Amino acid sequence: EFTATGGGYDPKTLLARKTFLAEIKLPDTTLRQEVEYFVAQPVIKVTTGNAPTLYMNCGNFVNIEVPTLGTSYNPSFSARGADIIKGDKPGKVTIIPTERKISVNVSNGGTNLGAVAFDVNPIPLPRYIIKDNSGKEVDKKNGVKGSALTGLRVAPEPDENFKNAVPKDAVYRIRSMDVIHARGTSPVNRMTATNEVLDLARWRAQFRAGDRIVIEIKTVTRRNFKGQEEKVEVRNEVHNVLIQ
């Protein structure tokens, strides 16, 4: 039993021809034979076919395989520009990138098999959708009837590709908003909301056609795959809801 060494692979067959010398010693002679064998070049395969795009500071779940090794595949991983958490099966890993381009090295039984390069995307900012109490999105052009307006909900919606790739990292919560009932250029009422649900019932009697509800989003957090809350950048997020 010995560990096969690689190198010198045929570019067409991806095999390397190797030999070893076998000896059988008998009482009156020794039989020697050169034994030929072939070493298959280990090809690292990411389950999506090509190396997927990862997201910065997120738990990106990836399956890295080397099919030619079969049941002998018991890999270890190291990375430049990322942290790696091994999963419950060989090849399953969670990659948490800290740089825009990273490289994951794959080894098996102490032998380096190669590296996989990944591009890393920044986390896209969510978009904010204003909904009424029934859960219907507010018509930004026509607004809402003041007589029926008792509350609003501001829903932070993650980018669809981001949500599909790392759903456990795409959970957003609004932590604070400044809300103004405005008439012309003057504020009529003000409040600070500490979540995405706005109770406007106490203002309803004062609503007039042409008034506006001005919502300025101040603080938003994102829960990551570890269950930790991270602050999200907010870029002048001001929304207006017209009152009919």
Side-chain angles (χ1 to χ4, degrees):
E1 182 177 310
F2 61 92
T3 301
T5 58
Y9 297 105
D10 184 293
K12 293 183 179 179
T13 64
L14 301 181
L15 298 174
R17 180 185 178 275
K18 305 287 182 178
T19 62
F20 65 87
L21 182 63
E23 291 186 348
I24 301 176
K25 292 184 179 181
L26 300 175
D28 56 348
T29 186
T30 298
L31 302 176
R32 294 183 178 87
Q33 182 177 340
E34 186 179 69
V35 181
E36 180 185 60
Y37 67 98
F38 292 87
V39 178
Q41 181 177 1
V43 178
I44 300 171
K45 177 186 175 185
V46 178
T47 51
T48 54
N50 297 315
T53 298
L54 309 183
Y55 286 95
M56 186 78 73
N57 297 324
C58 293
N60 301 274
F61 298 99
V62 179
N63 195 13
I64 301 174
E65 301 173 293
V66 182
T68 52
L69 292 181
T71 57
S72 299
Y73 185 52
N74 186 25
S76 59
F77 303 94
S78 62
R80 175 179 52 80
D83 296 323
I84 295 183
I85 302 172
K86 292 186 71 172
D88 57 351
K89 293 182 180 179
K92 287 189 174 182
V93 293
T94 300
I95 303 175
I96 306 100
T98 56
E99 298 178 10
R100 288 297 303 274
K101 289 185 178 293
I102 69 168
S103 180
V104 177
N105 295 307
V106 185
S107 298
N108 194 73
T111 300
N112 183 40
L113 303 181
V116 184
F118 294 89
D119 291 324
V120 179
N121 277 345
I123 298 173
L125 294 177
R127 66 189 185 99
Y128 301 95
I129 299 176
I130 314 299
K131 300 181 179 181
D132 60 23
N133 278 343
S134 67
K136 183 180 178 181
E137 185 173 353
V138 169
D139 186 330
K140 291 184 177 180
K141 180 180 179 180
N142 297 316
V144 295
K145 292 182 178 180
S147 59
L149 182 58
T150 59
L152 294 170
R153 179 173 177 265
V154 185
E157 295 287 341
D159 174 83
E160 195 65 25
N161 291 333
F162 176 61
K163 181 181 179 180
N164 290 336
V166 285
K168 292 184 178 180
D169 278 283
V171 181
Y172 292 92
R173 292 287 181 269
I174 293 176
R175 300 302 181 186
S176 67
M177 293 182 288
D178 287 344
V179 184
I180 299 174
H181 166 206
R183 183 170 296 148
T185 59
S186 302
V188 179
N189 295 290
R190 292 178 180 270
M191 71 173 173
T192 298
T194 55
N195 57 57
E196 52 231 44
V197 179
L198 306 179
D199 183 1
L200 306 178
R202 64 183 182 275
W203 295 354
R204 184 170 58 169
Q206 301 176 60
F207 290 154
R208 301 289 184 271
D211 289 358
R212 291 168 294 123
I213 301 296
V214 183
I215 302 166
E216 184 175 3
I217 300 169
K218 291 292 190 178
T219 310
V220 180
T221 61
R222 179 182 69 88
R223 190 178 71 218
N224 64 23
F225 74 104
K226 294 180 179 179
Q228 301 167 335
E229 297 284 335
E230 297 182 358
K231 201 168 182 179
V232 175
E233 181 182 1
V234 179
R235 297 177 180 170
N236 298 321
E237 291 288 351
V238 178
H239 301 266
N240 286 271
V241 176
L242 179 66
I243 296 175
Q244 297 177 359

